[in-house]
């Protein structure tokens, strides 16, 4: 196939480009080279020699140039942030995806498959079970609750503490602008794809981690933040009490999922969770990074919390496993591979401290209120 990868110069995208080339596909890349991911606004030196279009997914002419001759699209480009610029999420993520389908239909371009990147963020606070009232999908925790350091959601019916369980594809309930935009992205792809005979699939990625995560990007994952703090002689900052449960996914497993749904005949028309199958608390992750870096210290758990964060969320990957996909990357492999890459990467300024200070100044990161 001749595959267009949007966001192909970024973290996930660059790995996907390499994998597709290894499988014998011809590849083109559309990327805006945004400064938060590419501080020099230049193409990465290690990006393979593919056809490159520097452009924006919100711009018609950039899409038209990038789509020339392609018969498949892996749409990874997206806006991510913790800030309150809600309209930008809709403009880039939602309108950008809608524009892709608009042009494919307008041009009557034969397309064998479109794969769009979604996110675990579509599950909001995640899935839980109440011992009295069964499955529950609680609303976002209130600012008043968070300010008291009361971290865990209670049953919306009776207030009883809830037991978190894996999220399945059937119950999306996004609670922030990014999650809302990603669910809309899926809806455009799956609904318009089915209506106009453009076979499409969506992948709900669960915290993808590994080499090439930009140190300059505050949204690129907790591993980047932990390593950035430790390399600058600070303790890794952990929000809330650190007992939040997550599943962290190795980049190679995310790439394998893209390769599978790009070609599998039964993948079209569905959304799939992509997770590790291994649940880890945030503070456990911080300790693992400290150990791997040979640092004898404790994480900085000091009552900070971040607005829009979820408490516990991880993914049930049964649907993707039914197509033959299996995750192989462990948390230890994620840390090892990232540390090997960052050791040789040009980091520049202390991006981790800068991102933390920015979010604190903007009120995205706050501290629990003192007890009366």
């Amino acid at each position: 196939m001749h595959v267009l990868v949007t966001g192909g110069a970024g973290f996930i995208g660059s790995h996907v480009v390499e994998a597709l080339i290894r499988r014998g596909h011809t590849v083109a890349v559309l990327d805006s080279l945004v400064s938060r991911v590419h501080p020099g606004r230049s193409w990465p030196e290690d990006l393979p020699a593919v056809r490159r279009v520097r452009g924006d997914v919100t711009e018609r002419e950039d899409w038209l140039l990038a789509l020339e001759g392609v018969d498949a699209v892996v749409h990874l480009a997206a806006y991510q942030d913790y800030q309150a610029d809600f309209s930008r999420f809709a403009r880039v993520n939602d309108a950008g995806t809608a524009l892709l389908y608009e042009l494919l239909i307008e041009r009557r371009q034969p397309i064998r498959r479109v794969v769009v990147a979604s996110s675990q963020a579509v599950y909001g606070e995640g899935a839980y079970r109440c011992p009295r009232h069964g499955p529950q999908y609680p609303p976002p925790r209130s600012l008043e609750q968070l300010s008291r350091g009361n971290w865990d959601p209670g049953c919306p019916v009776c207030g009883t503490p809830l037991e978190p369980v894996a999220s399945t594809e059937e119950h999306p309930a996004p609670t922030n602008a990014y999650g809302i935009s990603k669910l809309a992205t899926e809806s455009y792809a799956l609904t318009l794809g089915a209506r106009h005979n453009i076979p499409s699939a969506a992948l709900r990625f669960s915290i993808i981690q590994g080499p090439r995560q930009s140190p300059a990007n505050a949204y690129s994952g907790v591993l980047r933040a932990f390593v950035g703090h430790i390399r600058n002689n600070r303790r890794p900052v952990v929000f809330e009490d650190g007992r939040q449960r997550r599943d962290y996914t190795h980049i190679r497993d995310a790439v394998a999922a893209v390769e599978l749904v790009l070609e599998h005949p039964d993948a079209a028309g569905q959304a799939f969770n992509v997770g590790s199958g291994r649940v880890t608390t945030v503070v456990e992750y911080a300790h693992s990074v400290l150990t791997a870096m040979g640092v004898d210290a404790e994480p900085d758990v000091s009552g900070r919390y971040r607005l829009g964060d979820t408490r516990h969320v991880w993914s049930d990957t049964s649907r993707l496993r039914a197509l033959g996909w299996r995750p192989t990357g462990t948390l230890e492999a994620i840390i090892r591979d990232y540390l090997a890459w960052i050791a040789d990467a040009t980091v520049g300024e202390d991006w981790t401290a800068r991102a933390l200070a920015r979010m604190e100044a903007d009120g995205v990161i706050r501290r629990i209120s003192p007890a009366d």
Side-chain angles (χ1 to χ4, degrees):
M1 286 188 281
H2 185 175
V3 186
L4 170 65
V5 181
T6 72
F11 166 46
I12 299 177
S14 63
H15 288 278
V16 168
V17 168
E18 290 179 347
L20 294 177
I21 291 173
R22 286 195 299 268
R23 292 178 71 89
H25 298 299
T26 303
V27 178
V29 167
L30 171 62
D31 202 298
S32 64
L33 301 177
V34 343
S35 58
R36 70 172 52 219
V37 180
H38 308 281
R41 301 297 303 274
S42 58
W43 294 99
E45 293 181 1
D46 55 357
L47 185 70
V50 298
R51 182 168 69 91
R52 306 174 182 183
V53 177
R54 180 170 177 173
D56 195 306
V57 295
T58 65
E59 296 295 332
R60 178 185 180 89
E61 295 305 316
D62 294 340
W63 269 118
L64 289 173
L65 184 59
L67 285 168
E68 278 299 321
V70 308
D71 55 9
V73 180
V74 177
H75 182 31
L76 303 173
Y79 176 63
Q80 300 170 300
D81 210 327
Y82 293 106
Q83 306 304 312
D85 45 354
F86 306 137
S87 62
R88 189 172 178 184
F89 289 99
R91 186 169 63 253
V92 177
N93 301 350
D94 305 351
T97 304
L99 182 56
L100 165 62
Y101 282 85
E102 180 180 318
L103 293 173
L104 292 177
I105 294 163
E106 177 183 299
R107 292 155 52 91
R108 296 183 172 85
Q109 185 164 348
I111 291 292
R112 296 169 62 178
R113 185 64 49 89
V114 175
V115 178
V116 298
S118 186
S119 170
Q120 190 183 67
V122 302
Y123 296 121
E125 284 291 350
Y128 293 79
R129 179 172 294 279
C130 173
R132 294 176 57 191
H133 296 100
Q136 297 293 326
Y137 305 93
R141 295 169 294 168
S142 69
L143 180 57
E144 189 274 335
Q145 176 183 347
L146 293 171
S147 69
R148 291 187 283 109
N150 180 9
W151 307 123
D152 289 300
C155 175
V157 181
C158 65
T160 299
L162 295 169
E163 175 62 28
V165 297
S167 294
T168 63
E169 288 88 350
E170 290 80 11
H171 295 284
T175 55
N176 60 32
Y178 178 65
I180 292 168
S181 73
K182 279 302 185 180
L183 188 57
T185 292
E186 289 184 24
S187 298
Y188 279 112
L190 301 182
T191 303
L192 298 180
R195 177 174 296 176
H196 296 280
N197 197 30
I198 302 172
S200 302
L203 293 174
R204 295 175 180 170
F205 291 125
S206 300
I207 318 181
I208 311 304
Q209 307 265 270
R212 301 181 196 162
Q213 285 191 290
S214 173
N217 184 1
Y219 201 94
S220 66
V222 70
L223 178 57
R224 169 210 61 83
F226 287 165
V227 172
H229 284 302
I230 296 168
R231 281 165 62 101
N232 285 281
N233 301 310
R234 295 187 301 270
R235 295 186 296 154
V237 173
V238 171
F239 300 127
E240 301 185 14
D241 61 358
R243 295 191 179 94
Q244 309 94 305
R245 293 184 237 179
R246 301 282 189 269
D247 56 336
Y248 301 96
T249 310
H250 197 291
I251 179 61
R252 69 167 175 257
D253 293 326
V255 171
V258 172
E259 293 177 286
L260 178 65
V261 302
L262 185 63
E263 299 181 13
H264 199 292
D266 296 333
Q270 298 190 72
F272 298 91
N273 287 338
V274 183
S276 65
R278 176 178 174 179
V279 179
T280 305
T281 68
V282 176
V283 76
E284 286 172 342
Y285 198 170
H287 279 294
S288 294
V289 176
L290 286 161
T291 299
M293 296 180 71
V295 176
D296 183 14
E298 288 295 316
D300 178 4
V301 185
S302 54
R304 294 183 180 97
Y305 60 93
R306 188 168 52 196
L307 295 183
D309 270 357
T310 55
R311 180 58 175 168
H312 304 296
V313 62
W314 65 90
S315 296
D316 181 322
T317 59
S318 300
R319 182 180 291 181
L320 191 58
R321 287 171 180 267
L323 299 186
W325 176 86
R326 295 291 183 275
T328 61
T330 63
L331 187 70
E332 293 75 16
I334 289 172
I335 296 169
R336 180 194 65 229
D337 294 348
Y338 182 77
L339 290 177
W341 172 79
I342 198 71
D344 296 325
T346 302
V347 175
E349 64 180 277
D350 187 350
W351 295 104
T352 309
R354 178 175 172 178
L356 187 65
R358 177 193 173 202
M359 288 188 282
E360 287 181 327
D362 290 344
V364 175
I365 292 176
R366 305 185 183 187
R367 293 180 183 269
I368 57 175
S369 302
D372 293 331

